[in-house]
Amino acid sequence: MASINKKNGKWQVRVSYYDEFGKRHFKNKNGFARKKAAEQWATELEQSKFDKSIGKLDTTITFSAYYLQWLETYKVDKVARITENEYRYALHQIEQLLPNVKLSEMTRIRYQKFIDTFTHGNTKQRAKRQLNANEPYHSKASVQKLHGHIHAAVLDAVADELIHSDFCFHAVLGGHQGKSAQLKFLDAADMHKLANEVNKNIKLTSTSKSMIYTGLLTGMRVAEVSALTWSDINWIKKAIRVNKSWDYVYGQKFKRTKTESSIRTITVTDELLNHLKQLHALQVSAELNNPDHLVFLNSRGRIPTPGACDILLKKYHESLGIKRISFHGLRHTHASYLLYKGVKMEYISKRLGHKNSSITRNVYAHLMQEDQKQEDTRTINALTNLG
């Protein structure tokens, strides 16, 4: 029997039914503008109960076809284009490694073999890197990302009762470790060297230098730094508002931040504000054509690309003798330095725009080199005093 009610000006329907195993379930739908539409939907479900089509598994749809439907329903135009392409990459892997396999035929063993095959890589990929028999082709991070994208769809398939169980549950994820975390950030000494270098000789012909300084002192992502406009800077409260990012891939334009939690306000130092004031004065003096009021627009009317910033960081690696990092390494450096200085993880998490501190904790579980040495010394001294 269908239950039809009105809530907050909209009609909602709830229909109960029993599956082929005798287990009771409910189907709900909200948001009907008219009661007649709600009644029609309920009538169609009641008919499916009569002909016993409701509650039965769809044994015809392939895993790849379901994933495509899920992707188009829940991700297309709802996530960033780059993120959408990551989901499409997962679809490509399903099509390549599980061709024509039905969703109802997926099991935990079959899924584990799929994950293992992806981790190992194909013959061409392995030959290119000259890998030994047991060496994985993909990194652990890549395997985890693929698994996460697929698992989200599978959980929805279970929720929609298209399948009875989550075949991704307890999958064993392999892969090589990728670059060491120690290679992705600067220690305190190198950080000071870089900060001093990029905070001098400010000029419009090299706004990538100013972008590096900003990234180092705020922990902002490169796309967030690139999208900064002068109205985002609160000179009085000494803060920068992050509310958009820059689309390098699909056209030089603004786009949404990576996540909702990425929208945040970051307090900044007087040194950074003074640096940006000088940059602003140079733009005004040069009468730069800057209709979007972009902070890092250079003398050629462009925002430096991440690649240009990375090339400059490579030059500093050579001239200053500091570790080689990418622009994203500035974000790791910022967070690691704050951890080293005893700043609370929860605050750092909000400053970086992470959804919660557990994400920050997982990424920045390491300590700065200096902190490791100090803790080693403290530990040895403490143990020595025992005996």
Side-chain angles (χ1 to χ4, degrees):
M1 184 70 181
S3 171
I4 303 177
N5 299 293
K6 194 172 187 179
K7 186 176 181 181
N8 298 326
K10 298 288 185 179
W11 292 94
Q12 58 184 21
V13 183
R14 180 179 175 88
V15 177
S16 65
Y17 68 93
Y18 291 89
D19 65 19
E20 57 191 306
F21 302 100
K23 185 178 179 181
R24 193 182 188 190
H25 300 274
F26 294 92
K27 279 191 175 292
N28 306 283
K29 191 169 183 178
N30 306 317
F32 292 100
R34 297 181 179 180
K35 185 177 181 180
K36 187 176 181 180
E39 290 174 340
Q40 182 178 352
W41 188 81
T43 300
E44 291 174 356
L45 271 190
E46 290 293 342
Q47 177 61 36
S48 66
K49 287 168 62 176
F50 178 76
D51 62 23
K52 298 183 180 180
S53 63
I54 193 172
K56 289 189 176 182
L57 302 182
D58 183 352
T59 58
T60 61
I61 190 170
T62 63
F63 184 20
S64 59
Y66 165 74
Y67 189 87
L68 176 59
Q69 290 179 8
W70 176 86
L71 171 61
E72 292 176 339
T73 302
Y74 294 105
K75 299 303 174 183
V76 175
D77 296 329
K78 296 179 179 66
V79 297
R81 287 282 296 277
I82 292 177
T83 305
E84 180 187 324
N85 284 340
E86 291 175 354
Y87 282 102
R88 290 194 180 280
Y89 176 73
L91 172 63
H92 176 70
Q93 294 304 319
I94 295 171
E95 292 172 336
Q96 291 292 311
L97 302 180
L98 294 168
N100 302 319
V101 175
K102 294 181 175 60
L103 178 63
S104 59
E105 295 174 342
M106 286 299 299
T107 63
R108 290 184 60 230
I109 290 178
R110 176 169 264 166
Y111 181 71
Q112 184 64 60
K113 288 181 178 179
F114 161 78
I115 286 292
D116 291 344
T117 301
F118 172 78
T119 304
H120 190 74
N122 59 42
T123 303
K124 185 177 180 180
Q125 290 171 329
R126 297 187 62 77
K128 187 175 181 180
R129 290 191 188 171
Q130 298 180 334
L131 298 175
N132 295 327
N134 295 325
E135 287 184 280
Y137 175 81
H138 284 103
S139 69
K140 185 176 287 290
S142 296
V143 176
Q144 290 174 340
K145 180 174 286 188
L146 178 78
H147 169 71
H149 290 340
I150 293 176
H151 197 191
V154 173
L155 288 175
D156 280 349
V158 175
D160 292 336
E161 299 175 2
L162 296 174
I163 53 177
H164 289 309
S165 61
D166 171 16
F167 55 77
C168 296
F169 185 64
H170 277 180
V172 179
L173 308 180
H176 61 76
Q177 290 300 320
K179 294 181 180 178
S180 168
Q182 294 292 338
L183 298 177
K184 295 181 179 180
F185 70 97
L186 302 177
D187 58 29
D190 282 356
M191 183 181 181
H192 282 293
K193 287 181 184 178
L194 180 60
N196 290 332
E197 182 65 26
V198 293
N199 192 29
K200 60 187 182 183
N201 298 326
I202 303 166
K203 49 189 178 181
L204 291 181
T205 56
S206 182
T207 56
S208 52
K209 180 189 295 186
S210 298
M211 289 175 64
I212 290 172
Y213 190 55
T214 302
L216 192 62
L217 269 62
T218 64
M220 292 166 62
R221 301 177 179 93
V222 64
E224 295 170 344
V225 172
S226 302
L228 278 181
T229 56
W230 291 113
S231 61
D232 296 327
I233 302 173
N234 190 320
W235 307 100
I236 297 175
K237 293 185 178 180
K238 301 180 179 180
I240 290 177
R241 177 69 175 165
V242 180
N243 51 30
K244 55 190 175 300
S245 60
W246 192 249
D247 193 342
Y248 284 104
V249 180
Y250 299 103
Q252 302 285 310
K253 58 185 179 180
F254 295 118
K255 66 175 183 177
R256 292 179 297 180
T257 52
K258 184 176 181 180
T259 61
E260 286 296 320
S261 57
S262 297
I263 299 174
R264 62 201 188 277
T265 299
I266 302 172
T267 54
V268 295
T269 64
D270 289 331
E271 288 79 7
L272 178 57
L273 290 174
N274 290 333
H275 182 111
L276 296 176
K277 284 178 182 177
Q278 292 181 56
L279 187 62
H280 185 257
L282 289 172
Q283 285 190 2
V284 173
S285 177
E287 297 181 351
L288 201 64
N289 182 25
N290 189 6
D292 291 323
H293 309 290
L294 291 160
V295 172
F296 300 107
L297 198 70
N298 61 25
S299 56
R300 294 187 294 169
R302 300 176 183 174
I303 298 291
T305 65
C309 292
D310 287 346
I311 289 173
L312 187 55
L313 283 168
K314 181 182 178 182
K315 291 181 179 178
Y316 290 136
H317 154 68
E318 296 168 348
S319 63
L320 300 177
I322 62 175
K323 190 178 295 179
R324 173 78 185 277
I325 61 168
S326 65
F327 196 102
H328 197 72
L330 301 174
R331 181 171 165 87
H332 292 319
T333 299
H334 182 82
S336 298
Y337 183 74
L338 295 183
L339 285 170
Y340 165 58
K341 287 297 184 179
V343 178
K344 291 183 179 179
M345 183 75 71
E346 289 72 17
Y347 173 81
I348 297 174
S349 178
K350 291 180 179 179
R351 189 172 176 90
L352 295 176
H354 285 163
K355 186 175 181 180
N356 54 62
S357 59
S358 64
I359 296 174
T360 317
R361 202 175 301 277
N362 289 337
V363 176
Y364 302 105
H366 57 272
L367 298 172
M368 297 292 284
Q369 288 183 357
E370 293 92 336
D371 200 27
Q372 291 178 13
K373 293 175 183 177
Q374 289 177 14
E375 295 306 314
D376 283 344
T377 301
R378 290 171 186 165
T379 299
I380 295 302
N381 289 340
L383 293 175
T384 300
N385 292 336
L386 287 175

